[in-house]
Amino acid sequence: MRENDMLEKEEIFSKVLRAGRRTYFFDVRATKAEDYYITITESKKFTEEDGSFHFKKHKIYLYKEDFAAFREILDEMTSYVLEHKGEEVISERHQKDFRKLFGDKAEETIGTESFTDVSFEDI
């Protein structure tokens, strides 16, 4: 079997989630025995001071026998975070380039009237 045929056979279904400097790749792949499993890859872009960049990637493999337990724990963990900290993202102010982007002010409030309401159907 040619290498391209192998790649097509191995990757069955894919979705991509772009989240700032991170991109998540969700792929359904096939084993040699024609069974399916999922890979989740996190790719994070790092830019050097000279303008060049590189990516760091981390991958996990998730097999069918672990789907139910994985989903249960993921649901429990995400519910815990949202119940205890809400949906507001506060970690951005801890990034190394936060002061460069937003100045030295500790915090500034921006009214929501300056934002545009966009639904997923518009994208």
Side-chain angles (χ1 to χ4, degrees):
M1 190 177 280
R2 292 189 337 236
E3 187 176 334
N4 286 346
D5 292 338
M6 236 356 222
L7 289 175
E8 287 179 21
K9 182 178 177 186
E10 188 178 323
E11 191 172 297
I12 310 301
F13 180 67
S14 296
K15 291 280 188 172
V16 176
L17 171 62
R18 298 191 194 294
R21 292 183 357 199
R22 288 183 170 85
T23 302
Y24 299 96
F25 300 92
F26 298 86
D27 298 300
V28 174
R29 297 186 179 270
T31 65
K32 289 180 183 178
E34 296 295 323
D35 204 0
Y36 289 171
Y37 64 98
I38 296 172
T39 62
I40 303 171
T41 307
E42 175 202 38
S43 178
K44 188 173 180 184
K45 183 177 183 179
F46 289 90
T47 305
E48 306 295 337
E49 290 192 20
D50 66 359
S52 64
F53 58 89
H54 67 279
F55 294 92
K56 286 189 180 178
K57 295 182 180 183
H58 303 282
K59 183 177 283 197
I60 64 168
Y61 295 82
L62 187 59
Y63 297 94
K64 289 191 308 188
E65 61 268 22
D66 302 321
F67 285 1
F70 187 91
R71 181 183 301 164
E72 184 179 314
I73 291 172
L74 181 62
D75 287 345
E76 182 181 352
M77 300 304 280
T78 55
S79 293
Y80 180 89
V81 169
L82 295 174
E83 287 171 15
H84 288 84
K85 292 297 181 178
E87 293 188 21
E88 179 189 6
V89 178
I90 59 174
S91 60
E92 290 173 344
R93 64 180 94 136
H94 298 289
Q95 293 177 2
K96 67 178 183 176
D97 56 354
F98 180 77
R99 292 207 187 277
K100 280 192 271 182
L101 294 173
F102 299 102
D104 287 333
K105 294 181 183 176
E107 198 167 310
E108 184 177 322
T109 304
I110 300 172
T112 57
E113 62 276 352
S114 65
F115 294 103
T116 303
D117 187 23
V118 177
S119 69
F120 284 107
E121 290 79 27
D122 295 335
I123 297 177

